[in-house]
Amino acid sequence: MDLLDDSIVPEHAREIKQDAREFAEEYIEPAAEEYYESGEYPWEILEAGMEAGLVAQDISEEYGGRGLTLEQILAIAEEFYRADAGIALTLQLASFGCEIMQHYGSEEQKEKWLRPVAENEQISGLAVSEPQTGSDMAGMETTAEKTDDGYVLNGEKYWVGNAVEADWITVYAKTGDSDDRYSNYSMFIVPTDTPGYEAEHIPEKMGMRASKQGHIVFDDCEIPEENLIGTEGGGFYMLADFFNHGRIIVGGHGIGLAAAAIEETWDFVHGRTAFGRNVSEFQSVQHILADMRMEFESARAMNWRAASKVANNDDAGFWAAVAKTKSTEMAVDVAERGMQLHGGRSVLNEFKISRVYRDVRIPVIYEGANEIQRNLIYSQGSL
Ligand SMILES: Cc1cc2nc3c(=O)[nH]c(=O)nc-3n(C[C@H](O)[C@H](O)[C@H](O)COP(=O)(O)OP(=O)(O)OC[C@H]3O[C@@H](n4cnc5c(N)ncnc54)[C@H](O)[C@@H]3O)c2cc1C
């Protein structure tokens, strides 16, 4: 039985899902352990993904991309994350933040900045989180001060995917100090070779090691006025809108990881003997597998329902938060049970379940920690 079967996937996303599966089997899965061990950036797999038309293709056809829909990106995410979350994150982050420019940028900006990413000549990133906070989006302290010619950025960003590797980054910075704390932020395009932009990798992580995040310091980093995206003061709302899409995809990160955990565990218990019997014959083991499967199927159904809601802008904030929280927590739960059923071998690096177990800790935090999602679910889900 195929855990990631496509009967729940809208028809227009099935072909690319199949392409993503074949790519994951050929390129991601066989390299996963090696990249986990080395912690290196998987440039070769990224390039292969670009060749295959599976990277940065959310950018519209007008600017050189394939204009993949939210559901198509979700279908890719499930398949890639099932193969390996670290490599998958790198592939999915190559155009991170571009959607903001796609929606709010000017024609000139899109032509200049989106096209090279869509044509796989450049990669991007999105810098929101700071060393002191990643949760309080209206409490960030990096400033962008207006000058005669543009803006000067000062401050720090932390956890930024591709901060070192990217050609340019979409940066969220403070441009006002009004009592309405949600209107004080704006979005900027910052090329990573701008004087005053310094980035270094953050320390090694325990999971998703084939993806790279960085610490950026802006020290009088000057950018021209034309690098402001949309209107000054609109950054918070642009980001909220962007995260609605992102959180559906992160739900897919949980689904892919959980699929891997269930498959690994199923195979393990059916190949292992204890007390003269196959471990899968113990009823308590069967019940754990049954629970894993039920939790997986309910989260996946909810995630796809939420994807359709968000794609149609129907209570998007609520559904995005629900999908992200449920799917990522289901993955943590399923991975934990999978570890237990692997016995002592669960902690050996050579067993994929140990990598999945480390990786599932991350999607419950990024794209907004799940505590923040629960705040949104309550506040946006009023009856
Ligand atoms: C692998 C990885 C990749 C990432 N990639 C990026 C990226 O590309 N760009 C980017 O900008 N950021 C990125 N992030 C950062 C991520 O979005 C933040 O880590 C996340 O938003 C949480 O922020 P924090 O780590 O500062 O935790 P904090 O905000 O300090 O929160 C610490 C704890 O307090 C809880 N908490 C905080 N506020 C509340 C509240 N109001 N109610 C209840 N609980 C609360 C949190 O839920 C959490 O449990 C990445 C993070 C990781 C781990």
Side-chain angles (χ1 to χ4, degrees):
M1 202 178 274
D2 178 5
L3 279 181
L4 294 181
D5 91 287
D6 67 5
S7 58
I8 198 171
V9 177
E11 236 175 277
H12 81 276
R14 291 183 188 169
E15 191 179 329
I16 199 143
K17 179 179 184 301
Q18 185 56 33
D19 293 345
R21 175 171 296 192
E22 285 165 18
F23 180 84
E25 282 169 0
E26 186 176 347
Y27 292 95
I28 302 179
E29 180 101 48
E33 193 178 342
E34 188 189 321
Y35 276 103
Y36 174 78
E37 292 293 336
S38 71
E40 276 171 23
Y41 194 85
W43 283 110
E44 278 179 20
I45 303 177
L46 180 62
E47 278 159 24
M50 290 170 168
E51 288 265 304
L54 294 168
V55 170
Q57 297 309 303
D58 48 333
I59 296 169
S60 72
E61 290 178 37
E62 218 178 329
Y63 304 104
R66 294 174 70 182
L68 296 183
T69 65
L70 179 65
E71 281 124 329
Q72 287 173 316
I73 303 287
L74 172 59
I76 296 173
E78 285 188 344
E79 294 291 342
F80 281 6
Y81 271 74
R82 172 208 231 165
D84 182 66
I87 296 172
L89 184 60
T90 292
L91 297 185
Q92 292 223 303
L93 285 190
S95 59
F96 200 39
C98 282
E99 204 181 312
I100 294 171
M101 192 188 295
Q102 178 86 48
H103 281 132
Y104 303 99
S106 66
E107 285 308 308
E108 296 75 37
Q109 286 175 337
K110 293 181 198 178
E111 196 54 52
K112 180 170 177 187
W113 301 103
L114 290 187
R115 186 173 290 285
V117 177
E119 294 179 351
N120 298 143
E121 283 157 12
Q122 294 188 353
I123 59 175
S124 67
L126 174 66
V128 178
S129 305
E130 300 192 350
Q132 302 311 322
T133 184
S135 296
D136 185 5
M137 278 168 38
M140 306 281 170
E141 290 177 357
T142 295
T143 54
E145 204 178 316
K146 186 100 184 63
T147 63
D148 289 344
D149 307 320
Y151 292 86
V152 173
L153 274 72
N154 279 293
E156 293 175 63
K157 294 285 175 187
Y158 204 75
W159 286 117
V160 179
N162 293 333
V164 174
E165 293 77 12
D167 296 279
W168 58 275
I169 303 270
T170 302
V171 177
Y172 178 76
K174 196 166 185 188
T175 42
D177 216 359
S178 78
D179 288 345
D180 173 9
R181 56 200 297 266
Y182 303 110
S183 67
N184 289 334
Y185 292 87
S186 306
M187 288 290 190
F188 298 94
I189 306 155
V190 182
T192 54
D193 60 2
T194 311
Y197 176 106
E198 290 295 337
E200 59 178 25
H201 287 134
I202 62 165
E204 286 298 340
K205 307 188 295 298
M206 72 165 195
M208 297 195 190
R209 283 166 46 76
S211 74
K212 290 285 159 206
Q213 290 74 32
H215 177 188
I216 305 173
V217 176
F218 298 106
D219 181 10
D220 284 337
C221 178
E222 195 165 0
I223 50 167
E225 187 162 9
E226 71 229 30
N227 285 21
L228 169 74
I229 302 175
T231 50
E232 197 181 289
F236 181 92
Y237 296 100
M238 292 179 201
L239 206 51
D241 194 31
F242 170 78
F243 280 144
N244 288 343
H245 284 216
R247 286 172 184 151
I248 293 293
I249 308 301
V250 173
H253 298 181
I255 301 291
L257 278 160
I262 294 173
E263 286 166 352
E264 289 299 304
T265 307
W266 182 275
D267 285 351
F268 184 83
V269 298
H270 283 83
R272 181 95 182 142
T273 307
F275 295 89
R277 293 161 75 187
N278 189 280
V279 167
S280 68
E281 289 172 36
F282 297 116
Q283 194 178 40
S284 65
V285 170
Q286 294 172 355
H287 285 184
I288 292 173
L289 285 168
D291 285 345
M292 288 164 81
R293 185 65 190 271
M294 277 193 295
E295 287 302 310
F296 172 82
E297 293 296 348
S298 31
R300 188 166 186 240
M302 184 189 275
N303 213 102
W304 280 101
R305 170 165 157 78
S308 156
K309 288 279 188 184
V310 172
N312 293 307
N313 207 14
D314 181 2
D315 284 331
F318 170 80
W319 284 104
V322 163
K324 194 263 182 185
T325 306
K326 180 69 191 166
S327 297
T328 59
E329 291 181 5
M330 177 277 297
V332 170
D333 190 37
V334 160
E336 165 68 30
R337 290 166 188 235
M339 287 288 280
Q340 188 66 15
L341 291 188
H342 271 74
R345 280 166 178 73
S346 60
V347 298
L348 296 180
N349 280 344
E350 68 188 76
F351 279 76
K352 184 173 176 181
I353 192 71
S354 70
R355 207 167 58 240
V356 170
Y357 185 65
R358 294 184 180 98
D359 292 342
V360 290
R361 283 305 314 154
I362 297 180
V364 288
I365 301 293
Y366 64 29
E367 210 90 357
N370 284 6
E371 291 73 21
I372 303 302
Q373 304 311 307
R374 283 190 166 79
N375 293 346
L376 294 169
I377 293 166
Y378 177 76
S379 63
Q380 303 201 13
S382 60
L383 302 177

